[in-house]
Amino acid sequence: MSEAITLKERIEDRVNSGILGQWYAVAKSSHVQPGKPHGVTALGRNLVLWRDNAGAIRCIEDYCPHRGARLSYGVVHEGNIACGYHGVVLDGDGRILRVPAMPKCSLEGKKALASYPVRELADCVFVYFASVEKPEAPELPTPPELADPEWTGFLCYSHWACNYRYALDNLADPMHGCYLHANSFTLAFGAKQDHMKLEQREDGFLVSRVEQAGENFDWTDMVVTQDGSYCRLDIPYPKAAGPGGVFRIIGFTTPVDDTHCMVFFWRLRKVQGLAREVFRFMYRTTLEPRHWAVLEQDRVMLEGMPDDARKREMLYQHDIGVARIRQLLNRQAKAQIAAEDAALTRAAG
């Protein structure tokens, strides 16, 4: 019994901190300016990002191997990162290139820090966090809309003081839209009673309302893969919102630590030509503040929940999407822990 409880606790801890062997969004591309280091925390790890001489983003631990100072407090030097404390220079692979205070120092040339693969997609920076069974980075899971020139939109980023699982649960719960967002521009319509249905897919699941479609935030497509996860949902738009079809949201969430997360939402419409420019103008001048107001409603609600809310909650039929996302995360964590234990056993033997 004690072993089963220990495994359960390990699974819970791994899910809370973030599944490894996956890509996570960690910053907007505009956060990483040429010549300036940018520090972030993701999955409990402090990282520093910067652009090398070719403009590519590099990522290593935000830790100087000399005395432990934050490299993000330093400077970019000839495409590498230099610590602001004593000037130690490291490259994008975490190797010490120079110790300016002592030429020919024995530290030069040593691989001192972990480095992380980086990809940029649609104005966003993704970092790969390796696992025992997946040390090499796979292809970045790319929502088709972000690679399709017929779609246009904007990326918004926010930092929330809650575990990232609360953000995932919120997305897997379409029923909250007609209550929490009842006074918003686009989500003020639709019935407040319904049942939910769940369609399982190879890459996740679709959770949707049974009796209602096209009125509100009525469904969520949760894409859950071994290499990374994201969601998509549509919000019907009235003609007053300008040209284009439905308003599509593509969302990624990244754990910072047990009580904080980052959320990244692309707000998209499929529209071309002059209508495209009209939509982009309307978004910046009129629609963007309304969308931020809706996002803030989610943030305030989730941040107000206790960190251990899952231990006391009483779920019902509407929560089938919430239950499913938790099941998938637990399954991934369990398999990952088993792989790590097997690797330790091999090493010991």
Side-chain angles (χ1 to χ4, degrees), residues 18-289:
I19 307 296
L20 299 177
Q22 297 193 358
W23 290 93
Y24 289 92
V26 300
K28 296 180 70 171
S29 292
S30 59
H31 291 161
V32 190
Q33 293 293 322
K36 296 181 180 180
H38 177 70
V40 299
T41 302
L43 281 73
R45 308 180 193 190
N46 295 323
L47 309 174
V48 59
L49 308 167
W50 77 94
R51 294 187 183 275
D52 63 18
N53 286 338
I57 296 180
R58 309 304 297 269
C59 178
I60 62 176
E61 296 176 73
D62 193 4
Y63 176 91
C64 179
H66 171 220
R67 294 273 297 280
R70 289 286 187 96
L71 292 173
S72 57
Y73 297 168
V75 297
V76 176
H77 177 71
E78 297 179 348
N80 300 301
I81 189 80
C83 180
Y85 201 12
H86 295 92
V88 175
V89 180
L90 297 102
D91 65 14
D93 295 322
R95 194 176 308 279
I96 300 173
L97 298 180
R98 292 183 57 212
V99 182
M102 180 176 283
K104 298 183 180 180
C105 175
S106 62
L107 296 178
E108 293 181 352
K110 290 189 175 181
K111 166 79 170 174
L113 301 176
S115 59
Y116 296 80
V118 180
R119 301 286 187 274
E120 284 190 85
L121 171 68
D123 302 324
C124 189
V125 181
F126 291 83
V127 167
Y128 180 70
F129 292 80
S131 62
V132 167
E133 72 274 29
K134 293 168 58 181
E136 301 299 325
E139 290 295 319
L140 172 67
T142 301
E145 297 88 345
L146 299 186
D148 187 343
E150 292 190 359
W151 289 87
T152 186
F154 303 86
L155 170 61
C156 73
Y157 156 85
S158 189
H159 190 280
W160 290 359
C162 66
N163 189 279
Y164 81 107
R165 298 174 67 181
Y166 285 15
L168 287 178
D169 289 350
N170 188 63
L171 291 166
D173 168 28
M175 199 65 198
H176 83 267
C178 61
Y179 286 92
L180 180 60
H181 308 309
N183 296 321
S184 76
F185 175 56
T186 54
L187 299 177
F189 308 100
K192 294 184 179 294
Q193 294 182 357
D194 207 341
H195 284 79
M196 309 299 295
K197 61 180 178 180
L198 188 142
E199 177 186 338
Q200 298 193 35
R201 298 178 173 178
E202 290 185 1
D203 62 350
F205 62 91
L206 178 76
V207 59
S208 59
R209 294 181 56 159
V210 173
E211 300 292 340
Q212 177 175 297
E215 289 289 340
N216 197 294
F217 162 33
D218 297 328
W219 57 267
T220 304
D221 182 13
M222 301 294 293
V223 179
V224 184
T225 77
Q226 296 299 316
D227 303 327
S229 301
Y230 61 90
C231 78
R232 97 169 25 84
L233 60 94
D234 282 353
I235 299 176
Y237 252 31
K239 292 183 178 180
V246 296
F247 191 64
R248 177 157 294 176
I249 307 294
I250 301 292
F252 287 78
T253 181
T254 299
V256 172
D257 54 33
D258 284 354
T259 56
H260 297 81
C261 68
M262 294 179 280
V263 294
F264 297 81
F265 290 104
W266 282 263
R267 298 158 170 179
L268 305 165
R269 294 186 88 174
K270 194 171 187 178
V271 60
Q272 295 85 43
L274 178 60
R276 181 190 189 97
E277 301 308 315
V278 171
F279 162 66
R280 294 183 67 85
F281 176 78
M282 285 192 64
Y283 180 86
R284 286 302 192 195
T285 58
T286 305
L287 303 176
E288 185 172 19

